[in-house]
Amino acid sequence: MAAPSFDAAVASIGGTLGEASGATTAAFLVVLHEHVLAESWFPREPLGAKELRRHLHMIAIQSAQKGEAVEVPWPDSLGIPLAITSYFVPLKFRLSAVLCLGFPADAGNGASRPSRIEPMMRMIAARLTTLQEIEAERRNRDQYDRWFRVSVRQIRALDGERQKFVALANSIGAGVFVADRLGGIRWNSRSLIERFPGEGTQRSWAGQSCKSLCERMGAGAHACGECAVARVLAGGAGISWEFEGPGGEKLRAVAHAIKDVDGRAQEVMVVVESAGVAIASPQSDGEVTPPHSAPEPAIPFPIDPPRSQPRAA
């Protein structure tokens, strides 16, 4: 049985075993719970096919439910009586296979068949199980490939949005940085570096603590009062405050939460500018929120891609 797929193998088994057994009628049926999922017959259109199919389906379903071959009395409505011998084998993924062989009731040869057919059924079950495993692995691989392609598209889309944000942040005079839940700076704008350069040749604050940047801005340990990043992460709402920078310059900062898809604040974006320059709230329709006003709504900014499992063989 060199069939390339599970369905193709099932389609050939009824005819193969029907001819090998010399049976008048043979049906090979694959069952899941109370349903026949696949079947093959010998001959392809047996006499009284409709009633015979119903009767052999009943045998197959009862055998699958019981976990062994069962015998069902032959109904008088089917005309010429047949002696039905059935064989049961379990398959993978809750499937069962049942072979029904029909011989003339007076032939007396039904009972002599098990010694020939049972080894063949075991071989068939092993082959079908192998095909099931192969096809399950193919489905898993295809699913992973689809997930990977979707993830790549999402990453590219997110990167495009990130580049837009970076371009916008770098085009304004205000300094911008993003801090995570531990107070580490994940990103800073070019304007921030130019105004408050960090250590090293790159002068970037990425990877350093927002406390270090706070001290560099000339505000010392009290620049943010109670840590603004911690306050936004805890409350989820935006805040603003003023402080004195290097050389006595009055500076104003606005902090907003960056939320994940579940609405939890995961990072904080802080915009720093001279106190005399208006910093518009993203949700204020262009109006400027005065310093120390009531907390502003946090901007929802998902940082995680949407999450997105195979057919019973």
Side-chain angles (χ1 to χ4, degrees):
M1 186 175 61
S5 68
F6 182 88
D7 291 341
V10 171
S12 67
I13 291 172
T16 299
L17 294 184
E19 292 178 352
S21 64
T24 302
T25 297
F28 185 80
L29 307 107
V30 177
V31 182
L32 175 64
H33 303 311
E34 298 179 356
H35 302 281
V36 175
L37 300 184
E39 56 190 293
S40 59
W41 288 76
F42 173 82
R44 290 184 178 274
E45 293 295 332
L47 186 64
K50 184 177 180 180
E51 293 296 326
L52 181 61
R53 179 172 282 106
R54 183 181 296 116
H55 182 68
L56 297 191
H57 277 203
M58 183 188 306
I59 293 175
I61 291 170
Q62 291 185 15
S63 297
Q65 291 174 337
K66 193 173 181 180
E68 60 183 17
V70 301
E71 303 295 334
V72 177
W74 184 261
D76 295 336
S77 61
L78 288 180
I80 300 175
L82 292 177
I84 302 295
T85 302
S86 59
Y87 305 86
F88 169 88
V89 289
L91 302 176
K92 285 274 189 178
F93 310 124
R94 296 173 296 173
L95 298 184
S96 302
V98 178
L99 173 67
C100 297
L101 299 178
F103 301 92
D106 57 355
N109 59 356
S112 65
R113 299 301 174 180
S115 61
R116 295 177 51 190
I117 299 301
E118 287 179 353
M120 297 179 67
M121 284 292 288
R122 287 193 292 269
M123 292 175 58
I124 288 170
R127 176 56 181 167
L128 290 178
T129 296
T130 300
L131 289 172
Q132 284 182 287
E133 293 173 345
I134 292 172
E135 293 181 0
E137 288 300 318
R138 287 173 179 165
R139 286 193 298 273
N140 288 337
R141 181 196 62 195
D142 292 344
Q143 182 67 71
Y144 290 137
D145 286 345
R146 286 192 294 271
W147 286 342
F148 178 76
R149 289 193 295 271
V150 169
S151 297
V152 168
R153 288 196 296 269
Q154 291 174 337
I155 290 171
R156 288 175 176 170
L158 288 171
D159 186 63
E161 296 303 312
R162 181 194 66 82
Q163 291 184 45
K164 294 176 187 176
F165 166 74
V166 170
L168 176 62
N170 285 331
S171 68
I172 63 177
V176 184
F177 70 91
V178 175
D180 59 23
R181 298 189 66 86
L182 299 178
I185 296 177
R186 303 289 300 277
W187 177 85
N188 52 226
S189 69
R190 184 168 54 244
S191 300
L192 183 78
I193 297 174
E194 291 172 351
R195 191 163 193 171
F196 306 107
E199 301 293 335
T201 57
Q202 300 297 321
R203 302 189 302 170
S204 173
W205 290 96
Q208 301 186 54
S209 69
C210 59
K211 179 181 178 182
S212 299
L213 175 57
C214 188
E215 294 174 350
R216 174 66 182 83
M217 289 190 295
H222 303 289
C224 304
E226 181 185 353
C227 179
V229 170
R231 289 164 60 194
V232 172
L233 288 171
I239 60 174
S240 63
W241 71 101
E242 290 186 359
F243 59 94
E244 188 173 302
E249 180 185 11
K250 292 293 185 179
L251 298 175
R252 179 170 180 250
V254 177
H256 293 281
I258 299 175
K259 296 185 176 183
D260 61 17
V261 292
D262 297 317
R264 294 188 296 263
Q266 297 293 337
E267 295 179 321
V268 176
M269 182 178 68
V270 181
V271 182
V272 181
E273 185 55 282
S274 297
V277 178
I279 306 177
S281 168
Q283 297 188 9
S284 64
D285 297 327
E287 298 179 3
V288 178
T289 305
H292 309 294
S293 66
E296 307 161 11
I299 48 176
F301 193 101
I303 61 175
D304 293 329
R307 299 181 180 88
S308 6
Q309 17 184 284
R311 170 178 78 93

